[in-house]
Amino acid sequence: MELEAIPGVGAKTAASLRELDDPVATVESGDVAAIARAPGVNEARAARIARGAIRRRHGDDGRVLATDRARELYREAIDLLRERTVTDYAAKRLETFYPSASASRIAEAQSFAADAADRDLDPAVREALADCAPLSDPPTVRVRDRCLATADAETLARAEAEVPELSVETVEDARDVSELGRSYASVTVLDESFAGLDVEGDVSVRPDALEAPAETVPERLLAFFAENRDRLEAAAAVHEAAAAAGDPVSGGGPPVALDRLRDALSRLDDDGTIAGDAELDRLTAAVDDLDAAVSTAASVADDRLREAIRERDVTIEGTDFLSLVEQGARVDSLLDRELADEYDAAVDAAREHLADALRLEPEEAELAERVFGGDPSFPVDHDESAVSRLRTELSAARDRRAAKLKADLASDLGDLRQPVEELVRDALELDVELAVARFARDFDCTLPEVVEPAGDDDGGEAPPAGFRIEGGRSPLLDVDFPDVEPVDYGVSGATLLSGVNSGGKTSTLDLVALVVVLAQMGMPVPAESATVERFEEIHYYAKSQGTLDAGAFEATLRDFGDLVDGADGRLVLVDELESITEPGASAKIIAGILEALDDQDATAVFVSHLAREIRAAADFEVAVDGIEAAGLVDGELRVNRSPKKGHLARSTPELIVEKLADDRGGEFYGDLLEKF
């Protein structure tokens, strides 16, 4: 698949996506976190790319949400789902579910939702998810004590691109390599032509080094695991909590042995260096503390000599003193002549302190002995060149130890690199599933049956079309969900919905739209059961705020002209269209629109107070349903929220007149009631 073929992906975005290890597979997987690791692609953008890839895979080029109100209902549906997520990832991932006209996409999403709805909602899992987040790529680690070398310009360019952590040097012959060996702690030559090279220093010839980045630059892998330590531990905790609840994240258990992962992480410091190795710690401390230890050791020797001088009487013959002065002798000579043994003892104490303070091994202690022991002096002096040699040896030992440990740990972690990606992805995907499960349980949802439009089969009786909702309750109402009255309603064809003011006509339209939108997203719907036609388009027109001026009225008519001229397979929901102009004209306009929709076998519900007038103006038998009010009780309507099929509901004014006729009697109220 060409990346540019994905809706919404241009050349610039495609170039960013190609920076991923396997861009096509990553995009097609729908893994928002993995897509978002492309340069310049955030999670919101990644969700749109994933959604575009899904559309491409299912050949889903349509635009189901055809009006602003339909799109608002979709956003409200998504928000209800997103409110039940724990992680930012899951909130973005839910954006990949959208109302689709593709049967294969709806079936795919329903399969996901069915599995999700069976999830156990254990609080411990939700708590563990709070710290879960997608893996991130650490900044490039610069390694300055090693380099790569090559004589080939193409290899040079490749090495610089693939191993930005290391310097890549150009060499022409063995002499160049030898010079690099003196400048770097380690040199890896990439050209096979240098095989058999014998030069001083840590120089190796490895033509395959670029194919083994974990060996060539283990710091990259270690930095990745160090950067993501908290995320990995959080994902591991999610897997453990889910398993303890009896509902493991994946059937086969975590993709990586968690004990092995934790053991590897325990050997890694937060900055990507090795942790927990006593020998490396000893060598590192010895290098860091060398100068201070030398200074302290010299002080130890000085203190020993100072004490020895205090405790002894040193007698010098006058001629000897004169001779020493004439020879320009200093106290060094006096120490050599009179306190030779004490001086040697002081030097031995300095050496012993240095070896103990740095915890030197015997071979290292031999080098340390050279630091002290030159010509007698007071204060005791040390050999800076010997200190430098000791530092060089300790540093080299430290670097060799660190390199070996890094290589060993990178080898262990290299096998875990792909599994930990799955570990975190599965934990994050669990949050998506749990959000769907919470939504389904919070609103007593069920998976609807999504059927093909009437006439789409290849023979036999046409399947039912339109929608049928039983026990539907809208979570969008401004009341507690348990207090929402259930609604039963089904429509196939063009229908008028009548009813009293505040009887629930608009909320019924909202419920229908919400159920259809969720159904075509492949999500559960808030109903005891539901059957929904797979609509190509959903048109929902909200109630107009007052009569429109001439220009706005004309624009509205154009919208409906485009609607009735469109393709088949549409759901049309309209709330009190008559408010756009005077009632007489409105009835005729609505009648004409219903006639056109009826000719197309569209499913339509028009809420209107002009049902009688519209039915009289229409040239076909317009179906009329009614939300019937039982009457007025203490000034409040008592309403049966489920529309009654084939029934023209009484208006609120009629109910009030009827109540007055019953309560007060009299010819006036009786005559008024007869006019209804």
Side-chain angles (χ1 to χ4, degrees):
M1 177 184 69
E2 287 293 330
L3 294 173
E4 287 89 343
I6 298 172
V9 175
K12 184 177 179 180
T13 302
S16 293
L17 293 173
R18 290 189 182 96
E19 296 292 320
L20 300 171
D21 288 340
D22 190 346
V24 172
T26 300
V27 169
E28 289 187 336
S29 72
D31 187 341
V32 172
I35 298 171
R37 289 168 69 178
V41 177
N42 58 29
E43 287 188 346
R45 176 68 175 150
R48 292 193 292 273
I49 292 170
R51 188 165 58 241
I54 292 169
R55 285 184 176 276
R56 169 89 176 157
R57 186 170 72 248
H58 292 281
D60 190 6
D61 299 328
R63 187 187 182 195
V64 173
L65 302 172
T67 62
D68 289 342
R69 181 58 185 149
R71 288 185 283 273
E72 286 176 9
L73 258 296
Y74 167 64
R75 293 311 314 172
E76 292 182 63
I78 280 289
D79 287 344
L80 289 172
L81 287 160
R82 286 162 54 100
E83 288 168 4
R84 286 154 179 79
T85 62
V86 178
T87 64
D88 291 339
Y89 168 86
K92 296 294 192 302
R93 171 76 167 85
L94 283 167
E95 298 278 355
T96 65
F97 292 92
Y98 62 94
S100 172
S102 165
S104 61
R105 171 54 187 169
I106 295 172
E108 179 182 74
Q110 278 199 330
S111 177
F112 172 87
D115 292 340
D118 290 335
R119 281 290 186 186
D120 182 82
L121 299 178
D122 189 273
V125 177
R126 186 177 180 86
E127 183 178 350
L129 278 166
D131 295 323
C132 209
L135 298 175
S136 64
D137 294 321
T140 300
V141 179
R142 291 298 302 173
V143 181
R144 305 190 183 281
D145 64 341
R146 305 198 311 276
C147 76
L148 302 176
T150 179
D152 180 69
E154 186 175 333
T155 303
L156 176 73
R158 180 188 169 198
E160 288 178 334
E162 296 184 10
V163 191
E165 297 88 347
L166 301 181
S167 294
V168 185
E169 307 286 352
T170 301
V171 293
E172 295 183 1
D173 50 33
R175 179 168 36 184
D176 292 341
V177 176
S178 180
E179 289 180 3
L180 290 178
R182 289 190 291 271
S183 302
Y184 290 93
S186 176
V187 179
T188 300
V189 183
L190 302 175
D191 304 344
E192 192 172 0
S193 59
F194 285 90
L197 185 69
D198 184 15
V199 296
E200 292 184 4
D202 184 4
V203 177
S204 62
V205 178
R206 288 201 54 189
D208 64 340
L210 298 182
E211 278 71 44
E215 298 176 22
T216 303
V217 57
E219 291 84 356
R220 177 189 300 175
L221 193 61
L222 302 187
F224 170 81
F225 277 89
E227 173 81 8
N228 291 289
R229 179 197 302 275
D230 292 343
R231 296 172 175 86
L232 295 174
E233 291 177 346
V238 170
H239 282 262
E240 289 174 331
D247 186 23
V249 176
S250 55
V256 58
L258 300 183
D259 288 343
R260 182 186 172 195
L261 174 61
R262 288 193 172 108
D263 175 69
L265 291 176
S266 70
R267 295 150 56 193
L268 187 63
D269 215 336
D270 290 340
D271 61 358
T273 57
I274 298 297
D277 183 76
E279 176 63 6
L280 180 60
D281 291 344
R282 181 190 72 82
L283 290 167
T284 301
V287 174
D288 293 342
D289 299 342
L290 179 57
D291 289 335
V294 169
S295 178
T296 303
S299 296
V300 167
D302 290 345
D303 291 343
R304 290 287 294 268
L305 278 176
R306 190 177 291 108
E307 188 64 26
I309 293 171
R310 287 198 191 101
E311 292 178 356
R312 286 195 56 185
D313 292 327
V314 180
T315 303
I316 305 177
E317 296 286 342
T319 54
D320 291 337
F321 180 76
L322 182 59
S323 175
L324 289 170
V325 172
E326 290 174 345
Q327 295 173 21
R330 299 172 301 168
V331 71
D332 310 13
S333 300
L334 293 175
L335 290 174
D336 189 27
R337 174 175 172 176
E338 299 294 335
L339 296 171
D341 292 341
E342 287 78 358
Y343 181 79
D344 290 342
V347 167
D348 288 341
R351 291 168 173 168
E352 182 178 352
H353 177 85
L354 184 59
D356 289 344
L358 300 180
R359 295 184 293 156
L360 300 180
E361 295 293 332
E363 61 274 13
E364 298 163 349
E366 290 180 9
L367 287 173
E369 289 181 2
R370 302 175 190 174
V371 173
F372 298 101
D375 294 335
S377 63
F378 184 83
V380 174
D381 199 3
H382 65 271
D383 185 346
E384 189 59 46
S385 63
V387 174
S388 179
R389 285 195 297 273
L390 180 58
R391 179 182 289 107
T392 299
E393 289 299 323
L394 291 173
S395 298
R398 177 200 61 191
D399 294 343
R400 285 193 300 271
R401 180 72 179 175
K404 181 181 184 307
L405 292 172
K406 285 179 182 179
D408 291 344
L409 182 54
S411 177
D412 292 344
L413 291 173
D415 295 336
L416 304 182
R417 181 64 171 81
Q418 185 60 38
V420 299
E421 293 269 5
E422 297 176 23
L423 181 83
V424 174
R425 182 175 64 246
D426 290 349
L428 293 169
E429 283 293 313
L430 176 64
D431 191 24
V432 183
E433 295 177 35
L434 292 178
V436 174
R438 290 187 191 96
F439 173 83
R441 292 179 207 185
D442 287 350
F443 302 123
D444 296 333
C445 293
T446 186
L447 273 178
E449 181 183 5
V450 181
V451 300
E452 293 301 299
D456 275 11
D457 61 344
D458 294 327
E461 185 178 350
F467 63 85
R468 176 69 192 170
I469 301 169
E470 295 184 5
R473 290 190 293 165
S474 174
L476 303 178
L477 297 176
D478 192 21
V479 297
D480 292 338
F481 184 74
D483 297 332
V484 177
E485 296 180 36
V487 171
D488 299 333
Y489 193 36
V491 168
S492 177
T495 302
L496 288 169
L497 179 59
S498 62
V500 295
N501 290 330
S502 303
K505 299 186 296 298
T506 297
S507 60
T508 298
L509 282 192
D510 284 349
L511 174 65
V512 170
L514 181 65
V515 167
V516 173
V517 165
L518 285 168
Q520 297 201 206
M521 288 169 65
M523 291 288 108
V525 301
E528 294 176 7
S529 68
T531 301
V532 174
E533 176 183 331
R534 179 173 58 80
F535 294 107
E536 294 292 330
E537 295 176 359
I538 300 172
H539 297 257
Y540 187 179
Y541 295 91
K543 186 185 303 184
S544 173
Q545 300 300 315
T547 303
L548 303 182
D549 61 29
F553 177 71
E554 180 181 352
T556 300
L557 285 186
R558 285 179 178 174
D559 286 344
F560 280 97
D562 294 338
L563 168 65
V564 298
D565 288 339
D568 295 338
R570 283 162 299 154
L571 170 67
V572 182
L573 305 173
V574 183
D575 194 3
E576 295 190 22
L577 182 62
E578 61 262 27
S579 63
I580 65 173
T581 189
E582 56 267 17
S586 293
K588 296 174 184 177
I589 292 169
I590 294 171
I593 295 171
L594 288 173
E595 289 168 5
L597 293 174
D598 180 66
D599 289 342
Q600 297 175 358
D601 293 324
T603 298
V605 180
F606 278 60
V607 168
S608 179
H609 292 289
L610 302 176
R612 287 191 181 93
E613 293 84 349
I614 295 168
R615 196 161 50 176
D619 62 2
F620 77 105
E621 189 71 21
V622 181
V624 178
D625 301 332
I627 296 179
E628 181 69 0
L632 289 168
V633 179
D634 296 328
E636 294 185 2
L637 284 170
R638 292 291 183 264
V639 179
N640 179 4
R641 301 292 178 181
S642 295
K644 186 176 180 180
K645 301 297 295 180
H647 176 74
L648 178 60
R650 292 179 296 173
S651 66
T652 302
E654 181 179 357
L655 291 171
I656 294 172
V657 171
E658 182 183 61
K659 183 177 185 299
L660 290 171
D662 292 342
D663 292 346
R664 304 183 64 175
E667 183 177 350
F668 173 68
Y669 294 113
D671 291 344
L672 284 181
L673 187 60
E674 287 181 2
K675 293 185 180 297
F676 283 96

